[in-house]
């Protein structure tokens, strides 16, 4: 649970960042979002996209700050900090939570880029696909891995693709050291910005903690041993994203498959429809979810998303609306 101290730090950062950004060539964005919906299983309104204990998505305000350090030969370092103050509404319980996503320093060396802090582990689709503001869930957001984790990593781009590796705590949002760790490595072929595709293969190994959001559900490290294959393909106005993983996750035999197809409906990519089936087997439990999402970029700063998700195990039809505001301040 976030402390008053962490909320104070987040508040001071919100006040101080505009002045910091004025002092040099920085980027600073203000972020706010509203989330509301209805769950047929719960038979009541919900104010989160997934679970009240998960970090995404909830009503929140925050910032996204980026600073580049440059010399005569160009950029040599980057500092990124992204935080939110999120409101959790769970029945009669209402509480605020301080959340940090990107919180890292990245150094450009003669070889690879090296980062330290809270960043994406080098595993699967989530290692390069930013789902910070989205309501459709990747496998990492669904709970099979970590969208962000504390630790260090490196990556290097080549003309044919890239290689990345990371050593992190295996905790996700909170930082704990109880003998837990996660190592991961990914190699990919294709440069998405040039070739319109990227396919990768990842391996991960460690002893990780069972966490959801900032909650530690089991304090004892559990075996993690996974392999993953992922693919992103951009073709005309279509986007295809695949992610497949198999192995041991939290000590259970696990298989998970994710596919997202999106179609941009106008030349400016302001309207999009997406469909996403997700299947997984975790120990003796299997489940299937089917999601649809419609997105409309109403203005340059405001995006409206409408999502429907059906969960087979709970027979839940969930309807979610998101107003997502992301505005440059400087």
């Amino acid at each position: 649970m976030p402390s008053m101290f962490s909320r104070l730090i987040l508040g001071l950062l919100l006040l101080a960042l505009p002045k910091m950004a004025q002092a040099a060539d920085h980027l600073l964005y203000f972020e706010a979002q509203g989330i509301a919906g209805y769950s047929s299983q719960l038979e009541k309104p919900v104010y989160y996209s997934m679970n009240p204990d998960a970090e995404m998505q909830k009503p929140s305000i925050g910032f996204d700050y980026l600073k580049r350090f440059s010399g005569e030969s160009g950029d040599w370092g980057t500092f990124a900090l992204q935080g939110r103050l999120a409101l959790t509404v769970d029945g009669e319980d209402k509480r605020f939570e301080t959340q940090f996503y990107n919180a890292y320093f990245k150094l450009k060396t003669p070889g690879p880029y090296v980062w330290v802090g809270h960043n994406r582990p080098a595993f699967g689709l989530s290692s390069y696909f930013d789902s910070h503001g989205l309501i459709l869930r990747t496998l990492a957001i669904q709970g099979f891995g970590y969208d962000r984790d504390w630790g260090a990593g490196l990556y290097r781009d080549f003309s044919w693709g890239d290689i990345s590796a990371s050593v992190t705590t295996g905790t996700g949002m909170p930082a704990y050291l109880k003998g837990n760790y996660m190592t991961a490595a990914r190699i990919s072929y294709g440069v998405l910005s040039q070739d319109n595709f990227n396919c990768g293969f990842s391996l991960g190994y460690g002893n990780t903690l069972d966490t959801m959001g900032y909650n530690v559900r089991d304090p004892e490290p559990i075996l993690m041993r996974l392999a993953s294959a992922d693919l992103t393909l951009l073709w005309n106005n279509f986007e295809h994203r695949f992610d497949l993983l198999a192995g041991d996750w939290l000590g259970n035999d696990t298989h998970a498959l994710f596919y997202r197809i999106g179609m941009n409906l106008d030349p400016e990519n302001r309207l999009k429809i997406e469909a996403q089936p997700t299947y997984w087997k975790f120990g003796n439990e299997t489940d299937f979810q089917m999601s649809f999402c419609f997105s409309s970029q109403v203005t340059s700063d405001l995006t409206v998303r409408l999502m429907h998700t059906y969960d087979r195990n709970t027979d839940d039809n969930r309807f979610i609306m998101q107003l997502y505001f992301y505005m440059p301040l400087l």
Side-chain angles (χ1 to χ4, degrees):
M1 180 177 294
S3 64
M4 289 297 297
F5 179 74
S6 61
R7 294 178 197 170
L8 177 62
I9 293 297
L10 181 62
L12 292 174
L13 286 169
L14 284 169
L15 293 174
L17 282 172
K19 294 183 178 180
M20 294 167 61
Q22 288 175 344
D25 185 17
H26 306 173
L27 296 174
L28 177 65
Y29 295 86
F30 172 75
E31 177 198 60
Q33 67 173 321
I35 291 282
Y38 180 80
S39 166
S40 66
Q41 180 205 15
L42 299 176
E43 298 182 331
K44 65 178 184 180
V46 294
Y47 301 95
Y48 46 83
S49 62
M50 178 178 170
N51 185 296
D53 293 327
E55 67 271 24
M56 292 184 176
Q57 300 284 352
K58 304 173 182 177
S60 63
I61 59 170
F63 65 90
D64 190 2
Y65 176 70
L66 183 71
K67 173 178 172 53
R68 287 191 171 88
F69 299 89
S70 303
E72 294 182 355
S73 59
D75 294 346
W76 57 268
T78 303
F79 172 71
L81 184 62
Q82 192 173 36
R84 290 175 176 169
L85 183 63
L87 172 63
T88 297
V89 180
D90 184 13
E92 298 298 319
D93 180 27
K94 299 179 178 63
R95 60 186 184 275
F96 286 97
E97 180 179 75
T98 306
Q99 302 177 342
F100 287 101
Y101 292 87
N102 292 336
Y104 64 82
F105 180 77
K106 182 173 65 178
L107 178 66
K108 181 181 181 181
T109 74
Y113 286 90
V114 178
W115 62 264
V116 176
H118 197 226
N119 202 359
R120 302 172 191 161
F123 189 83
L125 182 71
S126 294
S127 65
Y128 63 98
F129 178 50
D130 187 4
S131 57
H132 173 79
L134 307 180
I135 51 178
L136 287 175
R137 310 166 194 168
T138 61
L139 290 182
I141 296 296
Q142 191 65 50
F144 299 101
Y146 306 103
D147 189 68
R148 303 288 199 283
D149 204 5
W150 294 94
L154 55 86
Y155 71 91
R156 182 167 186 177
D157 297 323
F158 299 92
S159 60
W160 49 265
D162 63 83
I163 295 176
S164 58
S166 61
V167 179
T168 55
T169 58
T171 54
M173 298 297 284
Y176 286 92
L177 293 175
K178 299 180 178 179
N180 47 285
Y181 69 95
M182 171 179 165
T183 60
R186 179 178 181 270
I187 182 171
S188 78
Y189 179 72
V191 179
L192 195 59
S193 60
Q194 300 175 11
D195 305 321
N196 289 330
F197 79 92
N198 181 269
C199 58
F201 177 73
S202 308
L203 292 173
Y205 181 83
N207 287 296
T208 63
L209 296 187
D210 184 4
T211 63
M212 177 178 285
Y214 284 91
N215 298 319
V216 178
R217 303 198 296 184
D218 187 340
E220 294 299 322
I222 307 173
L223 174 67
M224 173 260 190
R225 184 172 53 196
L226 291 173
S228 170
D230 63 87
L231 169 67
T232 296
L233 174 64
L234 310 178
W235 179 69
N236 290 335
N237 58 331
F238 287 92
E239 300 176 7
H240 302 269
R241 303 184 193 277
F242 300 87
D243 204 2
L244 168 68
L245 63 82
D248 293 301
W249 173 245
L250 298 178
N252 286 274
D253 178 46
T254 300
H255 302 81
L257 174 63
F258 155 103
Y259 170 50
R260 182 181 300 178
I261 179 172
M263 181 173 68
N264 293 302
L265 301 177
D266 66 318
E268 292 79 24
N269 296 335
R270 300 172 71 92
L271 300 174
K272 177 187 283 188
I273 56 173
E274 296 170 289
Q276 178 180 300
T278 306
Y279 168 84
W280 68 81
K281 179 180 182 298
F282 178 67
N284 295 322
E285 173 193 346
T286 62
D287 199 3
F288 174 78
Q289 290 182 348
M290 188 68 209
S291 299
F292 299 93
C293 184
F294 172 74
S295 304
S296 173
Q297 188 175 355
V298 181
T299 70
S300 59
D301 303 321
L302 176 64
T303 300
V304 179
R305 297 185 176 94
L306 300 171
M307 180 182 75
H308 168 248
T309 294
Y310 173 72
D311 185 283
R312 185 187 64 185
N313 277 9
T314 58
D315 194 27
D316 183 29
N317 282 285
R318 181 167 299 193
F319 302 88
I320 299 293
M321 180 177 182
Q322 178 196 40
L323 303 180
Y324 185 78
F325 190 76
Y326 190 77
M327 182 183 72
L329 295 178
L330 294 169

Short mmCIF file of all heavy atoms in Angstrom, two decimals, residues 131-157:
data_model
loop_
_atom_site.label_atom_id
_atom_site.label_comp_id
_atom_site.label_asym_id
_atom_site.label_seq_id
_atom_site.Cartn_x
_atom_site.Cartn_y
_atom_site.Cartn_z
N SER A 131 1.75 -0.53 -23.53
CA SER A 131 0.32 -0.62 -23.29
C SER A 131 -0.09 0.22 -22.07
O SER A 131 -1.13 -0.02 -21.47
CB SER A 131 -0.10 -2.08 -23.08
OG SER A 131 0.65 -2.65 -22.00
N HIS A 132 0.74 1.21 -21.73
CA HIS A 132 0.52 2.01 -20.53
C HIS A 132 -0.86 2.65 -20.48
O HIS A 132 -1.51 2.65 -19.44
CB HIS A 132 1.59 3.10 -20.46
CG HIS A 132 1.39 4.09 -19.36
ND1 HIS A 132 1.71 3.81 -18.05
CD2 HIS A 132 0.87 5.33 -19.36
CE1 HIS A 132 1.41 4.84 -17.30
NE2 HIS A 132 0.90 5.79 -18.06
N GLY A 133 -1.35 3.19 -21.61
CA GLY A 133 -2.63 3.88 -21.60
C GLY A 133 -3.78 3.08 -22.18
O GLY A 133 -4.89 3.60 -22.30
N LEU A 134 -3.54 1.83 -22.55
CA LEU A 134 -4.54 1.03 -23.26
C LEU A 134 -5.37 0.20 -22.28
O LEU A 134 -4.91 -0.14 -21.18
CB LEU A 134 -3.86 0.12 -24.28
CG LEU A 134 -2.91 0.81 -25.27
CD1 LEU A 134 -2.30 -0.20 -26.23
CD2 LEU A 134 -3.64 1.91 -26.04
N ILE A 135 -6.59 -0.17 -22.70
CA ILE A 135 -7.42 -1.00 -21.82
C ILE A 135 -7.45 -2.47 -22.24
O ILE A 135 -7.80 -3.32 -21.45
CB ILE A 135 -8.86 -0.44 -21.71
CG1 ILE A 135 -9.47 -0.18 -23.08
CG2 ILE A 135 -8.86 0.81 -20.88
CD1 ILE A 135 -10.90 0.32 -22.99
N LEU A 136 -7.10 -2.78 -23.49
CA LEU A 136 -6.92 -4.19 -23.86
C LEU A 136 -5.65 -4.71 -23.19
O LEU A 136 -4.64 -4.00 -23.12
CB LEU A 136 -6.82 -4.33 -25.37
CG LEU A 136 -8.12 -4.15 -26.16
CD1 LEU A 136 -7.83 -4.20 -27.67
CD2 LEU A 136 -9.14 -5.22 -25.80
N ARG A 137 -5.69 -5.97 -22.72
CA ARG A 137 -4.60 -6.50 -21.91
C ARG A 137 -3.64 -7.35 -22.72
O ARG A 137 -4.08 -8.23 -23.45
CB ARG A 137 -5.16 -7.35 -20.77
CG ARG A 137 -6.24 -6.68 -19.98
CD ARG A 137 -6.96 -7.72 -19.13
NE ARG A 137 -8.21 -7.20 -18.60
CZ ARG A 137 -9.15 -7.94 -18.03
NH1 ARG A 137 -8.96 -9.24 -17.90
NH2 ARG A 137 -10.25 -7.39 -17.59
N THR A 138 -2.35 -7.12 -22.53
CA THR A 138 -1.35 -8.05 -23.04
C THR A 138 -1.23 -9.21 -22.05
O THR A 138 -1.82 -9.21 -20.97
CB THR A 138 0.01 -7.35 -23.18
OG1 THR A 138 0.40 -6.88 -21.88
CG2 THR A 138 -0.09 -6.16 -24.15
N LEU A 139 -0.43 -10.22 -22.40
CA LEU A 139 -0.24 -11.34 -21.47
C LEU A 139 0.42 -10.88 -20.18
O LEU A 139 0.10 -11.38 -19.10
CB LEU A 139 0.60 -12.44 -22.13
CG LEU A 139 -0.06 -13.22 -23.27
CD1 LEU A 139 0.88 -14.29 -23.80
CD2 LEU A 139 -1.37 -13.86 -22.80
N ALA A 140 1.36 -9.94 -20.28
CA ALA A 140 2.02 -9.44 -19.07
C ALA A 140 1.02 -8.73 -18.17
O ALA A 140 1.03 -8.90 -16.95
CB ALA A 140 3.17 -8.50 -19.45
N ILE A 141 0.13 -7.91 -18.75
CA ILE A 141 -0.89 -7.23 -17.95
C ILE A 141 -1.87 -8.25 -17.38
O ILE A 141 -2.38 -8.10 -16.26
CB ILE A 141 -1.63 -6.19 -18.81
CG1 ILE A 141 -0.67 -5.09 -19.26
CG2 ILE A 141 -2.81 -5.60 -18.04
CD1 ILE A 141 -0.10 -4.27 -18.13
N GLN A 142 -2.13 -9.33 -18.11
CA GLN A 142 -3.05 -10.37 -17.65
C GLN A 142 -2.49 -11.13 -16.45
O GLN A 142 -3.22 -11.79 -15.72
CB GLN A 142 -3.36 -11.33 -18.80
CG GLN A 142 -4.50 -12.29 -18.54
CD GLN A 142 -5.84 -11.57 -18.40
OE1 GLN A 142 -6.19 -10.75 -19.25
NE2 GLN A 142 -6.59 -11.87 -17.36
N GLY A 143 -1.16 -11.02 -16.24
CA GLY A 143 -0.56 -11.67 -15.08
C GLY A 143 0.49 -12.71 -15.42
O GLY A 143 1.05 -13.33 -14.51
N PHE A 144 0.80 -12.88 -16.72
CA PHE A 144 1.83 -13.84 -17.13
C PHE A 144 3.11 -13.07 -17.45
O PHE A 144 3.44 -12.83 -18.61
CB PHE A 144 1.35 -14.64 -18.35
CG PHE A 144 0.11 -15.44 -18.07
CD1 PHE A 144 -1.13 -14.99 -18.50
CD2 PHE A 144 0.17 -16.62 -17.36
CE1 PHE A 144 -2.28 -15.70 -18.24
CE2 PHE A 144 -0.98 -17.35 -17.08
CZ PHE A 144 -2.21 -16.90 -17.51
N GLY A 145 3.82 -12.68 -16.40
CA GLY A 145 5.02 -11.88 -16.55
C GLY A 145 4.79 -10.51 -15.94
O GLY A 145 3.84 -10.29 -15.18
N TYR A 146 5.68 -9.58 -16.27
CA TYR A 146 5.61 -8.23 -15.71
C TYR A 146 5.76 -7.22 -16.84
O TYR A 146 6.69 -7.30 -17.64
CB TYR A 146 6.73 -8.03 -14.68
CG TYR A 146 6.74 -9.09 -13.60
CD1 TYR A 146 7.67 -10.12 -13.62
CD2 TYR A 146 5.80 -9.07 -12.57
CE1 TYR A 146 7.69 -11.09 -12.64
CE2 TYR A 146 5.80 -10.04 -11.59
CZ TYR A 146 6.74 -11.04 -11.62
OH TYR A 146 6.74 -12.02 -10.65
N ASP A 147 4.83 -6.25 -16.88
CA ASP A 147 4.92 -5.20 -17.87
C ASP A 147 6.10 -4.27 -17.57
O ASP A 147 6.75 -3.76 -18.48
CB ASP A 147 3.61 -4.39 -17.90
CG ASP A 147 3.56 -3.42 -19.05
OD1 ASP A 147 3.49 -3.89 -20.20
OD2 ASP A 147 3.61 -2.19 -18.81
N ARG A 148 6.35 -4.01 -16.29
CA ARG A 148 7.52 -3.28 -15.82
C ARG A 148 8.10 -4.05 -14.64
O ARG A 148 7.39 -4.75 -13.93
CB ARG A 148 7.17 -1.86 -15.34
CG ARG A 148 6.48 -0.96 -16.36
CD ARG A 148 7.43 -0.51 -17.45
NE ARG A 148 6.93 0.66 -18.17
CZ ARG A 148 5.99 0.65 -19.10
NH1 ARG A 148 5.39 -0.49 -19.41
NH2 ARG A 148 5.63 1.76 -19.73
N ASP A 149 9.43 -3.91 -14.43
CA ASP A 149 10.06 -4.58 -13.30
C ASP A 149 11.31 -3.79 -12.92
O ASP A 149 11.87 -3.06 -13.74
CB ASP A 149 10.43 -6.03 -13.67
CG ASP A 149 10.56 -6.93 -12.45
OD1 ASP A 149 10.27 -6.47 -11.33
OD2 ASP A 149 10.94 -8.10 -12.62
N TRP A 150 11.74 -3.94 -11.65
CA TRP A 150 12.91 -3.20 -11.15
C TRP A 150 14.18 -3.99 -11.42
O TRP A 150 14.23 -5.18 -11.11
CB TRP A 150 12.75 -2.93 -9.66
CG TRP A 150 11.62 -2.01 -9.32
CD1 TRP A 150 10.35 -2.39 -8.97
CD2 TRP A 150 11.63 -0.60 -9.33
NE1 TRP A 150 9.57 -1.28 -8.75
CE2 TRP A 150 10.32 -0.16 -8.96
CE3 TRP A 150 12.60 0.38 -9.62
CZ2 TRP A 150 9.98 1.19 -8.87
CZ3 TRP A 150 12.24 1.72 -9.52
CH2 TRP A 150 10.95 2.11 -9.15
N GLY A 151 15.19 -3.32 -11.95
CA GLY A 151 16.44 -4.01 -12.20
C GLY A 151 17.28 -3.27 -13.23
O GLY A 151 17.34 -2.04 -13.23
N ALA A 152 17.92 -4.05 -14.11
CA ALA A 152 18.80 -3.48 -15.13
C ALA A 152 18.70 -4.32 -16.39
O ALA A 152 18.31 -5.49 -16.35
CB ALA A 152 20.25 -3.43 -14.63
N GLY A 153 19.06 -3.69 -17.50
CA GLY A 153 19.00 -4.41 -18.77
C GLY A 153 19.82 -3.72 -19.83
O GLY A 153 20.40 -2.63 -19.60
N LEU A 154 19.90 -4.33 -20.97
CA LEU A 154 20.63 -3.75 -22.10
C LEU A 154 19.97 -4.21 -23.38
O LEU A 154 19.28 -5.23 -23.41
CB LEU A 154 22.10 -4.14 -22.06
CG LEU A 154 22.45 -5.63 -21.99
CD1 LEU A 154 22.50 -6.27 -23.37
CD2 LEU A 154 23.79 -5.81 -21.30
N TYR A 155 20.18 -3.42 -24.44
CA TYR A 155 19.70 -3.83 -25.76
C TYR A 155 20.56 -3.16 -26.83
O TYR A 155 21.17 -2.12 -26.60
CB TYR A 155 18.22 -3.49 -25.95
CG TYR A 155 17.92 -2.02 -26.10
CD1 TYR A 155 17.89 -1.39 -27.35
CD2 TYR A 155 17.65 -1.24 -24.96
CE1 TYR A 155 17.60 -0.05 -27.48
CE2 TYR A 155 17.36 0.10 -25.08
CZ TYR A 155 17.34 0.70 -26.34
OH TYR A 155 17.08 2.04 -26.47
N ARG A 156 20.58 -3.79 -27.98
CA ARG A 156 21.32 -3.22 -29.11
C ARG A 156 20.53 -3.46 -30.39
O ARG A 156 20.04 -4.57 -30.63
CB ARG A 156 22.71 -3.84 -29.24
CG ARG A 156 23.51 -3.22 -30.38
CD ARG A 156 24.97 -3.59 -30.33
NE ARG A 156 25.73 -2.86 -31.35
CZ ARG A 156 27.04 -2.93 -31.51
NH1 ARG A 156 27.74 -3.70 -30.70
NH2 ARG A 156 27.64 -2.25 -32.46
N ASP A 157 20.40 -2.38 -31.16
CA ASP A 157 19.71 -2.47 -32.44
C ASP A 157 20.69 -2.80 -33.56
O ASP A 157 21.83 -2.32 -33.57
CB ASP A 157 19.02 -1.13 -32.75
CG ASP A 157 17.95 -0.79 -31.73
OD1 ASP A 157 17.26 -1.72 -31.28
OD2 ASP A 157 17.80 0.40 -31.40
#
